[in-house]
Amino acid sequence: MERQGTPSEHGYYFPAEFVPQEQVWLAWPERPDNWRESAKPAQHAFTQVATAISQHTKVCVAVSPNQYLTAALMLPEGIELVEMPLNDAWMRDIGPTVVMDDQGDRRGISWQFNAWGGAVDGLYAPWNDDDQVAAAICDHLGLDYYRAPFVLEGGAIHTDGEGTLYTTEECLLSAGRNPHLSKTEIEACLADYLSISKVIWLPDGLFNDETNGHVDNLLHVIAPGEVVLSWCDDPDDPQYAISRRALDVLESSTDAKGRRIRVHKLPIPGPLYLTQEEAAGIEPSGGMKREAGERLGGSYANFLMCNKKVFLPLLDSACDQQAMDILQAALPDYQIIGIPTREVLLGGGNIHCITQQIPGALASKQG
């Protein structure tokens, strides 16, 4: 049921990804203008991700009616399929952001979704089915939800669960989202809906990220006052300056609790590029650039934390192990599970982008 008012008014806050989770949602890919070969390779990759998570946590997959049988045949038993209309498969951005109160009661937020930029620079149209997914999932779960009066995506925000929100100016101040709102007004909206008290604005997202620089491709909050940051040591790479500007902000900031922020540098893979063969299998699109030689927004920061597991994209055999080792050292009590996900990357994101967690009802602020 849709609720009036705001989560903040009612005592609900945005919990961190590292609190206990009840389940994880994905959506089934099918767009032939985003996923090559009518999404068959992507469907295999999504199946691998869903299967890996389902071995530890309940998984639900939203699937359009015409893909239901395909998904049912490919996904293992135990994964719940929920039929609903979809435009594409980016569950982080179209699914609900679930907030909770200090008693562990949960409610959802349905952000306004316009395909990362609407008429200005959106990636596809129409997007009306995707805009209804968050409410449909809340109804399925029996969660009340709020309909936010502004455009936002789940991949554009990260939190420590203790009042700090991380985002990028490139994304939240982009012309295609909320041009009628100032930076200060956007901060106020975030406070109303997520009960955060401090926003740490990073200038830019990952180089060539077509979402206008979602923070989840650049950075991941792994503990209160602790993040991993996509890093590049090649001065000739455009990512080099982006990462250093982000580090400057992080090192000169304190979080909502006054802590200095500890930063773990996570090297980017590649750089990686769309091959001729891969590009040939994608149908032309008005909004999405899918040309041979296009640089892909590859990032190891685009992982999912779920119940003491990290589900990490494997993207480059030259540095996959280094990424796993860095995360294992930073998260010694976590199991790091690597999954080959180049096919997900070809569509414009990775494991964090295609998942949305539902925190457990008894999760506390401390996790």
Side-chain angles (χ1 to χ4, degrees), residues 266-350:
L266 197 59
I268 59 170
L272 307 172
Y273 300 90
L274 187 65
T275 68
Q276 187 72 50
E277 179 189 359
E278 289 165 343
I282 304 169
E283 292 187 7
S285 164
M288 294 175 282
K289 190 177 179 184
R290 300 285 181 270
E291 298 172 0
E294 176 78 6
R295 177 155 166 177
L296 302 167
S299 168
Y300 291 117
N302 205 294
F303 57 81
L304 174 70
M305 300 179 79
C306 179
N307 296 334
K308 298 296 182 181
K309 310 288 187 297
V310 165
F311 297 94
L312 178 73
L314 300 181
L315 297 167
D316 181 353
S317 58
C319 47
D320 286 344
Q321 190 59 52
Q322 182 187 9
M324 294 185 77
D325 291 345
I326 290 169
L327 282 171
Q328 190 66 80
L331 295 164
D333 56 341
Y334 276 70
Q335 180 183 358
I336 313 297
I337 300 169
I339 307 168
T341 54
R342 181 177 174 90
E343 293 296 339
V344 182
L345 176 59
L346 297 181
N350 227 291

Side-chain angles (χ1 to χ4, degrees), residues 16 188 200 232:
I200 294 179
C232 176

